[in-house]
Amino acid sequence: MADERLIVALDLHTFDDVKKLVGELGSSVNFYKVGMELFYSVGAGVVEWLKTQDKKIFLDLKLHDIPNTVAGGLCSLMNLGVDILNVHASGGFTMMKTAADSLRKEADKRGVECPKLIAITVLTSINDEEWADLGFTLKTANQVVRLAKLAHKAGLDGVVASPQEAHLIRDACGEKFLIATPGIRPAGVDVDDQSRIATPAAALLNGASHLVVGRPIRAAKNPREAAEKILAEMSTQP
Ligand code: C5P
C-alpha cells in the first residue's frame, strides 16, 4: 500500500501526459492533486479516469468568492467524488464556515462521504518582500497561523501551508488538523519558483500530514525513482 501522505501534483495539460505519468508511478503513488492547469484544459474526465485507477484525488481549485457562490461551487464539485477540496482562507471566516457547513449538509443529504475541505493560507511562492509589497504588516508566518486558526474555527479539516510554518499550525490547531505542504524540495533538487521550502523528512518532522510534490517528481528523468527516493525519506518519519 502506497504511503498516502505523498500527493503528486499533476500540473500537466493533456490527458496523455497524465496517463503516462500515473502509469510510470504505478503502485508507488496513490494520491494525486489535480489543479487548475489540468482541470481547465482537460475537464472533469481526468478526475473520473483517476477514480477508475483507484487513485485518491485532491482537487486543488482554490475557490475564492462570496460565501454563497463558494458553497454552491463546492457542492457541484462534490459530484466528482474527490477526497479533498479547497478554498482560500483569505475569503474570510463566513465564507469558510458557509462552505464547510454546506458541504457536510449536502453530503448527508446524498448519503455520501463528505470530502475534506482545506484552506490555502499564504501561497508558498510568496516571500517576505513580496508579502510586504501587498501591504500586509504581519509577518507571513504570523498571518499563516492566524488564517489556519480561522479555518479551524470555521470547521475546516485543515490547511495548505509552507512546511516552514507547519509546526506553528500543528501547535495551534491540534493533532487531527490536516496540513498539506507544497514547497517540498529534496536536497540537491531545483527550487524553481518556490520560496518557503523544506525537504520531505523536515516537512513531516515539522508537523505536515501530507506532502504535495510536483516538479521534483514530474520533471525527474525517472519519475518513479524520484518518487521512491522521496518515499524512502518519508518512511524515516512515521
Ligand atoms: O512543482 P511543485 O512541487 O512546486 O508544485 C507544488 C504544487 O503545489 C503546485 O501544484 C502548486 O500549485 C501547489 N501549491 C503551492 N503553494 C500553495 C498551494 C498550492 O505550491 N500554497
Side-chain angles (χ1 to χ4, degrees), residues 9 11 33 62 120 123-124 160 182 185 194 212-216:
D11 296 329
K33 182 172 87 70
K62 299 186 173 72
I120 301 287
L123 297 173
T124 44
V160 181
R185 290 297 181 268
Q194 295 286 15
V212 177
V213 184
R215 285 162 289 185

Side-chain angles (χ1 to χ4, degrees), residues 14-89:
T14 71
F15 218 138
D16 284 349
D17 286 344
V18 171
K19 286 184 175 162
K20 184 166 174 271
L21 182 62
V22 173
E24 276 170 11
L25 294 174
S27 57
S28 63
V29 175
N30 229 16
F31 217 141
Y32 286 96
K33 182 172 87 70
V34 173
M36 50 183 93
E37 189 174 342
L38 181 61
F39 197 79
Y40 293 161
S41 57
V42 177
V46 70
V47 172
E48 283 152 14
W49 178 78
L50 284 166
K51 284 183 69 78
T52 67
Q53 306 300 301
D54 286 328
K55 302 299 181 190
K56 287 192 163 182
I57 300 142
F58 167 17
L59 187 55
D60 177 28
L61 296 182
K62 299 186 173 72
L63 276 67
H64 192 170
D65 208 317
I66 57 171
N68 189 52
T69 304
V70 168
L74 289 171
C75 289
S76 301
L77 290 173
M78 196 162 70
N79 297 339
L80 297 174
V82 299
D83 300 277
I84 304 181
L85 289 165
N86 63 356
V87 298
H88 269 285

Side-chain angles (χ1 to χ4, degrees), residues 183-191 197-203 213 216 226 229-230 233:
I184 301 299
R185 290 297 181 268
V189 164
D190 254 356
V191 166
I197 57 168
T199 64
V213 184
K229 247 175 139 173
I230 289 173
E233 193 181 325

Side-chain angles (χ1 to χ4, degrees), residues 36-235:
M36 50 183 93
E37 189 174 342
L38 181 61
F39 197 79
Y40 293 161
S41 57
V42 177
V46 70
V47 172
E48 283 152 14
W49 178 78
L50 284 166
K51 284 183 69 78
T52 67
Q53 306 300 301
D54 286 328
K55 302 299 181 190
K56 287 192 163 182
I57 300 142
F58 167 17
L59 187 55
D60 177 28
L61 296 182
K62 299 186 173 72
L63 276 67
H64 192 170
D65 208 317
I66 57 171
N68 189 52
T69 304
V70 168
L74 289 171
C75 289
S76 301
L77 290 173
M78 196 162 70
N79 297 339
L80 297 174
V82 299
D83 300 277
I84 304 181
L85 289 165
N86 63 356
V87 298
H88 269 285
S90 51
F93 177 79
T94 308
M95 181 267 254
M96 288 193 280
K97 182 156 174 32
T98 308
D101 290 350
S102 306
L103 211 50
R104 289 202 182 102
K105 212 165 134 195
E106 188 65 21
D108 277 354
K109 199 168 105 191
R110 297 184 196 184
V112 296
E113 201 178 323
C114 190
K116 302 277 185 220
L117 182 63
I118 64 177
I120 301 287
T121 53
V122 177
L123 297 173
T124 44
S125 55
I126 294 195
N127 58 26
D128 281 334
E129 198 186 332
E130 204 166 354
W131 187 244
D133 279 348
L134 288 169
F136 294 108
T137 46
L138 273 185
K139 283 260 175 223
T140 42
N142 296 343
Q143 180 69 11
V144 166
V145 175
R146 189 186 178 123
L147 291 173
K149 281 178 162 169
L150 210 59
H152 188 237
K153 197 169 136 202
L156 269 69
D157 301 290
V159 287
V160 181
S162 135
Q164 294 180 3
E165 283 116 26
H167 67 290
L168 298 171
I169 298 169
R170 184 61 66 221
D171 288 349
C173 301
E175 278 309 305
K176 283 196 186 144
F177 207 53
L178 297 185
I179 305 176
T181 59
I184 301 299
R185 290 297 181 268
V189 164
D190 254 356
V191 166
D192 305 303
D193 58 352
Q194 295 286 15
S195 290
R196 307 197 317 283
I197 57 168
T199 64
L204 292 175
L205 199 63
N206 271 356
S209 60
H210 293 82
L211 308 186
V212 177
V213 184
R215 285 162 289 185
I217 291 177
R218 216 174 53 240
K221 264 202 193 104
N222 184 332
R224 181 148 188 158
E225 215 174 84
E228 279 169 356
K229 247 175 139 173
I230 289 173
L231 287 161
E233 193 181 325
M234 288 171 67
S235 70

